[in-house]
Amino acid sequence: MIDTRRSFLRKGALLTLSSLPLAAGCAHLEQRIERLKTSSPRTAAVLWYSQTGHTRVMGRLMAQVLRAEGLTVTDADYREFDASTLPSFDLVIMGSPVYYFRVPENLRAWIAKLPSLEGIPAAAFVTFGGVGHNQHNTSYELLEWLADRGAVPMRIAAFGHMSSYAPTWSSGRSARILTFRDLPNEQTFEAGRDFARKTVASVRARERASIGTEVSVFQPLRRLDMPWWTKLLASNHRIDPNTCIRCGKCERACPVGAVSVERNRVDSARCIFCVGCVNNCPTGAMKMTYFGSEVYGYREFLKRNGITLRLPRELADG
Ligand SMILES: Cc1cc2nc3c(=O)[nH]c(=O)nc-3n(C[C@H](O)[C@H](O)[C@H](O)COP(=O)(O)O)c2cc1C
């Protein structure tokens, strides 16, 4: 078993090294501002994918800013939003966490099936962990996918948070993550407000923007199906029936339907290793072993380290 893993890792390392030159090629989004549906947006959809709440908070904050700008705003997790209504909006802002150096597969699949967004101005943002790995290019990737559906790309941004990657702290490497224990802070929130304000101002002014990728050694890793490789290091992914309270949070968090509380089952072939189930289980009943260590979730991590995440004043009442 160990040998198989080693050979997989060796192959992964070789593939990574051989594809490094790909990082040097930078791409640019063609903006074609003249296709804008309107420069007087009245409605906006602010949508996000979020497992531990970072991206949700930034999305909700941006929605409040757009409301203050006079727009009627629908803000929601993309999984609770009726995609068929998206073409009726005058502006779309979409947010995602960075997972494995890119936009998570489930969000990518959802965007690919969207109806035409022809002429709708769109902005994309990501939240990322710690120093970040490929965050700029991930926000670009998210906007590129919206542009592929016909949207007019306006702006991208990346906001630093604490990493929600449970295997890191569970393997005894929490110090790296705790360096960023003060994030998000007021500066993060101000950057989020600024992003929303500037997006709507650019649409009103029909302002052209230059949106491109950055050189990053992490960019080629996107091609490696990192969740699949990482999953090789994990085992024993299951629900502990003795501590499970059947609240269904793990099932709702799973974006690919791999968890069934009813059948007490995790389908590891389907799992995309987002660890949303572990991170959202309130009792630690969602079990997983990573590199020999038992993985515990984000709530528990915050509790053990006495951390309460800040909220922007606009959302302080919930
Ligand atoms: C499965 C997983 C993979 C991650 N991969 C990356 C990564 O490649 N680069 C990065 O900067 N942060 C990474 N992170 C950290 C998250 O992007 C960051 O914590 C984000 O703010 C979480 O957003 P959410 O609370 O909205 O889910 C990862 C987190 C998880 C759970």
Side-chain angles (χ1 to χ4, degrees):
M1 183 64 169
I2 301 269
D3 271 336
T4 317
R5 284 181 181 169
R6 277 207 191 114
S7 89
F8 270 125
L9 289 173
R10 224 179 4 247
K11 276 186 210 152
L14 283 174
L15 195 54
T16 307
L17 286 173
S18 62
S19 57
L20 275 180
L22 289 172
C26 283
H28 241 87
L29 272 174
E30 196 194 345
Q31 199 182 19
R32 293 201 282 150
I33 198 82
E34 60 284 355
R35 284 172 42 239
L36 265 194
K37 170 181 169 180
T38 175
S39 55
S40 306
R42 286 190 299 193
T43 58
V46 181
L47 305 174
W48 57 78
Y49 171 52
S50 182
Q51 285 287 19
T52 40
H54 299 164
T55 317
R56 180 179 63 243
V57 167
M58 296 305 284
R60 289 186 59 211
L61 171 62
M62 287 175 199
Q64 292 291 55
V65 171
L66 296 185
R67 286 185 188 111
E69 289 281 337
L71 279 78
T72 303
V73 183
T74 300
D75 57 330
D77 186 303
Y78 85 94
R79 293 169 286 187
E80 287 155 14
F81 178 80
D82 177 359
S84 69
T85 65
L86 202 52
S88 67
F89 287 88
D90 296 337
L91 170 65
V92 174
I93 296 185
M94 189 164 286
S96 169
V98 181
Y99 283 176
Y100 305 104
F101 319 117
R102 66 183 318 180
V103 177
E105 186 48 43
N106 48 297
L107 184 55
R108 168 191 308 282
W110 185 77
I111 295 172
K113 287 197 202 127
L114 283 177
S116 168
L117 304 179
E118 191 55 41
I120 300 175
F125 71 93
V126 295
T127 67
F128 63 93
V131 288
H133 294 113
N134 215 33
Q135 64 272 27
H136 175 89
N137 294 335
T138 305
S139 58
Y140 175 94
E141 184 179 43
L142 183 54
L143 190 57
E144 187 180 34
W145 277 75
L146 295 171
D148 284 350
R149 305 305 310 138
V152 178
M154 300 303 296
R155 188 171 291 274
I156 54 175
F159 305 103
H161 285 67
M162 238 189 333
S163 176
S164 54
Y165 193 58
T168 303
W169 61 72
S170 303
S171 330
R173 287 175 291 129
S174 54
R176 203 168 89 197
I177 291 183
L178 288 170
T179 318
F180 301 91
R181 62 181 297 147
D182 287 333
L183 295 180
N185 59 20
E186 185 47 37
Q187 267 178 305
T188 323
F189 299 139
E190 194 43 42
R193 293 181 194 106
D194 192 53
F195 176 75
R197 270 190 227 110
K198 282 188 174 149
T199 299
V200 77
S202 304
V203 175
R204 285 173 176 154
R206 290 184 174 269
E207 193 176 75
R208 283 184 193 278
S210 170
I211 307 164
T213 54
E214 274 178 7
V215 174
S216 164
V217 291
F218 296 104
Q219 184 76 336
L221 295 178
R222 302 175 320 141
R223 296 168 194 271
L224 285 181
D225 192 358
M226 290 301 287
W228 185 84
W229 287 97
T230 316
K231 223 162 57 168
L232 293 175
L233 304 171
S235 58
N236 209 18
H237 190 182
R238 65 189 169 85
I239 303 168
D240 172 10
N242 299 320
T243 43
C244 175
I245 55 169
R246 304 175 78 79
C247 66
K249 285 192 174 154
C250 52
E251 206 173 290
R252 287 193 294 279
C254 179
V256 292
V259 179
S260 166
V261 174
E262 182 62 30
R263 286 183 291 145
N264 191 41
R265 183 156 187 265
V266 180
D267 180 344
S268 38
R270 192 179 276 197
C271 167
I272 55 168
F273 213 68
C274 70
V275 293
C277 55
V278 177
N279 272 343
N280 285 290
C281 176
T283 62
M286 182 56 78
K287 302 290 183 194
M288 179 193 287
T289 308
Y290 180 79
F291 246 138
S293 307
E294 180 139 321
V295 178
Y296 62 95
Y298 196 54
R299 283 162 181 260
E300 179 63 20
F301 175 71
L302 295 178
K303 201 164 102 190
R304 287 191 195 183
N305 291 287
I307 299 170
T308 307
L309 293 176
R310 284 187 199 85
L311 284 175
R313 58 179 178 274
E314 291 88 335
L315 309 179
D317 298 333

